[in-house]
Amino acid sequence: MKAAVGGYARARDLRHALELLSSADGMGRVLAGGQSLVAALNMRLTTGDILVDISALADCRGVADDGGTLRIGALTRHAEIGRDPLVRAHAPLLAEAVGHIAHAAIRNRGTIGGAIAHADPAAEFPACALALGAVMRVEGLDGPRDIPVEAFFRDTFETALAEGEILTAISVPKAAPGEVQVIQEVARRSGDYALAGLCLVRRAGRHRLALFSTGPKPMLATAAMAALDGGDTEAAISALKAEIDPPSDTQASGAYRRHLAGVLLRRAVARIEGGTR
Ligand SMILES: Cc1cc2nc3c(=O)[nH]c(=O)nc-3n(C[C@H](O)[C@H](O)[C@H](O)COP(=O)(O)OP(=O)(O)OC[C@H]3O[C@@H](n4cnc5c(N)ncnc54)[C@H](O)[C@@H]3O)c2cc1C
């Protein structure tokens, strides 16, 4: 089946993109890497959209050192994140996550902003952002606003982005001395979306644990985090299994996903105690 779009326009700069979205009568749709959106259009999950192509917005691409944080432009591609020296040094979780995302062709086109705005509950980058305590820079015609990641993911494929807004950058705190960041997941085949996955960050003796593919949106497992802070891995695994309610589908039952989450947490703690990033 072919996509049934209402139009296409390539934005020259951010202001132009925002004006194009605003003039589209609610039918405007940001096109970044196209790796999720074009598939949805081809399957006619959405029709009549006026595509606003933001891929030429140079200000939204690349990684910059902002002092205590890294500013990652929303249009930075997955593959670029995987090999960026600043990301590898200061937010290694993101670099490691890239190896789990799809295949080379998709990683060469897909953008971190697209993955986060798309808010697929099975995607890696939204959970990484949650584990790292990222802040989303969002721009609209009324100006910019910053949204803490805890308030960004609202439901399956639903975020705090308002109509006509564009996610322009993601800020992540640079890893503190001794900080450890790991991602663990289980997928049926290399490149498939995970059946269950988690990101664990230990920063100054405190833990942040974000789950993906175990519910309607990425979530922080706060009870498990408290048990990890107290040094009790077994209690953390029990708490984690109690606080998630994974869905059953054709890939796996909810019970199996819950079991996997416990296994993955045990592996993540073992890696953290081994000190490997
Ligand atoms: C076969 C296949 C396998 C995949 N496997 C995985 C996987 O294992 N893990 C994973 O995480 N992902 C996977 N993906 C998805 C891939 O990572 C996508 O690239 C990503 O989810 C979307 O990024 P994009 O730049 O292509 O966004 P697009 O497809 O262009 O856009 C996606 C959505 O986000 C909106 N959007 C995009 N950018 C912005 C922005 N800056 N501001 C506001 N809204 C925006 C669009 O309007 C659209 O609704 C897979 C995709 C395919 C086709």
Side-chain angles (χ1 to χ4, degrees), residues 56 59 80 89 120 126 130 138 169 184 190 195 211 213 237 246 251 272:
D59 289 352
E80 292 167 339
D120 188 322
L130 205 48
V138 164
Q184 293 288 148
S190 167
L195 295 178
L211 275 287
S213 224
I237 292 170
Q251 297 290 319
I272 274 197

Side-chain angles (χ1 to χ4, degrees), residues 35 101-110:
Q35 297 305 293
I101 301 176
H103 310 286
I106 291 156
R107 296 197 289 258
N108 284 335
R109 296 291 310 167

Side-chain angles (χ1 to χ4, degrees), residues 28-39 54 74-75 77-78 100-103 106-107 109-120 122-126 161 165-168 185 191-194:
R29 187 70 85 99
V30 173
L31 174 66
Q35 297 305 293
S36 296
L37 180 54
V38 173
I54 61 168
L75 286 173
R77 299 187 192 282
H78 304 339
H100 293 286
I101 301 176
H103 310 286
I106 291 156
R107 296 197 289 258
R109 296 291 310 167
T111 67
I112 186 169
I116 288 177
H118 190 50
D120 188 322
E124 284 82 0
F125 279 152
L161 276 167
E165 283 185 329
I166 294 176
L167 173 64
T168 55
E185 71 172 58
D192 280 3
Y193 280 101

Side-chain angles (χ1 to χ4, degrees), residues 54-219:
I54 61 168
S55 58
L57 273 51
D59 289 352
C60 294
R61 167 155 291 144
V63 182
D65 190 333
D66 255 0
T69 58
L70 289 187
R71 180 195 178 280
I72 304 174
L75 286 173
T76 312
R77 299 187 192 282
H78 304 339
E80 292 167 339
I81 286 174
R83 58 177 178 256
D84 186 273
L86 285 172
V87 173
R88 294 177 78 89
H90 301 297
L93 180 65
L94 292 172
E96 188 187 352
V98 171
H100 293 286
I101 301 176
H103 310 286
I106 291 156
R107 296 197 289 258
N108 284 335
R109 296 291 310 167
T111 67
I112 186 169
I116 288 177
H118 190 50
D120 188 322
E124 284 82 0
F125 279 152
C128 292
L130 205 48
L132 293 172
V135 173
M136 311 301 168
R137 169 53 66 105
V138 164
E139 302 259 0
L141 279 176
D142 295 335
R145 62 191 182 110
D146 289 323
I147 308 175
V149 66
E150 291 83 356
F152 191 78
F153 299 109
R154 296 214 166 140
D155 206 340
T156 307
F157 302 120
E158 197 183 314
T159 70
L161 276 167
E163 179 78 43
E165 283 185 329
I166 294 176
L167 173 64
T168 55
I170 297 101
S171 287
V172 294
K174 285 159 88 172
E179 178 166 328
V180 194
Q181 308 177 355
V182 298
I183 182 168
Q184 293 288 148
E185 71 172 58
V186 171
R188 284 196 182 276
R189 298 169 305 184
S190 167
D192 280 3
Y193 280 101
L195 295 178
L198 56 79
C199 304
L200 180 59
V201 172
R202 186 177 65 197
R203 183 177 296 159
R206 306 291 303 273
H207 296 79
R208 280 177 74 92
L209 175 63
L211 275 287
F212 56 100
S213 224
T214 58
K217 60 176 187 170
M219 65 169 271

